[in-house]
Amino acid sequence: MNASRPAAPYRKPWVQRHWILTLLLALGVLFTLSVAIGAWMTYSVMDSMRYTPPFIEAMERARANPEVKAALGEPLEDRFVLGAVEPKDQGVAKLFIFVQGPKGKGDVQIEGIREQGAWRYSVMRVNLDKDRTSIDLL
């Protein structure tokens, strides 16, 4: 005898049966990728400021200053940079460099303008976190 098996009932694919879960997973992946790309771009821009003349000069002065050495200790490390430096002949720099040493933390504040290829600073100081005092680097 030729007995045919009944056809299995049609069953929708997993994605169609769980479309809400699929949508939430896709949105989660997109959100995670967006956050990761944004964080990478922010880090790249802030890291590039470590190679600008205002940053380099301020960190050299801070590391060489005896008051800063006494207050924060050695080695003085930069942790994070915020601000902007215009890389033009007539540019402006405004930076906050968060620094840390073995004895404490603080930030280096820089404000300056570049005229005819030379930087002139109106503000360059280290602000100490522990006692809220400032050390002028100019």
Side-chain angles (χ1 to χ4, degrees):
M1 255 187 222
N2 192 2
S4 62
R5 292 177 57 190
Y10 173 74
R11 190 164 184 201
K12 292 181 180 180
W14 186 91
V15 172
Q16 287 181 350
R17 286 182 283 137
H18 302 285
W19 67 272
I20 293 176
L21 182 59
T22 303
L23 179 65
L24 291 175
L25 286 172
L27 290 175
V29 167
L30 287 174
F31 177 76
T32 302
L33 283 174
S34 299
V35 168
I37 290 170
W40 175 75
M41 289 176 63
T42 301
Y43 175 78
S44 296
V45 168
M46 294 300 153
D47 189 55
S48 69
M49 287 193 209
R50 286 187 165 96
Y51 305 102
T52 61
F55 179 93
I56 293 168
E57 188 170 346
M59 288 304 296
E60 285 175 354
R61 288 186 188 189
R63 287 182 176 125
N65 188 295
E67 290 179 73
V68 175
K69 286 181 185 180
L72 300 179
E74 291 184 88
L76 184 64
E77 299 176 2
D78 59 285
R79 291 293 184 196
F80 193 73
V81 184
L82 290 176
V85 177
E86 293 178 7
K88 303 176 189 171
D89 262 353
Q90 306 292 323
V92 176
K94 289 188 179 190
L95 293 174
F96 280 96
I97 307 167
F98 296 94
V99 294
Q100 180 177 355
K103 296 181 182 178
K105 297 179 183 180
D107 64 79
V108 180
Q109 182 181 356
I110 308 154
E111 292 181 18
I113 57 173
R114 183 176 177 173
E115 294 177 335
Q116 300 171 350
W119 284 98
R120 284 187 315 124
Y121 302 104
S122 57
V123 175
M124 189 180 291
R125 66 177 164 243
V126 176
N127 302 310
L128 304 174
D129 284 353
K130 66 180 169 185
D131 58 2
R132 304 278 187 218
T133 60
S134 295
I135 301 169
D136 193 19
L137 298 177
L138 290 177

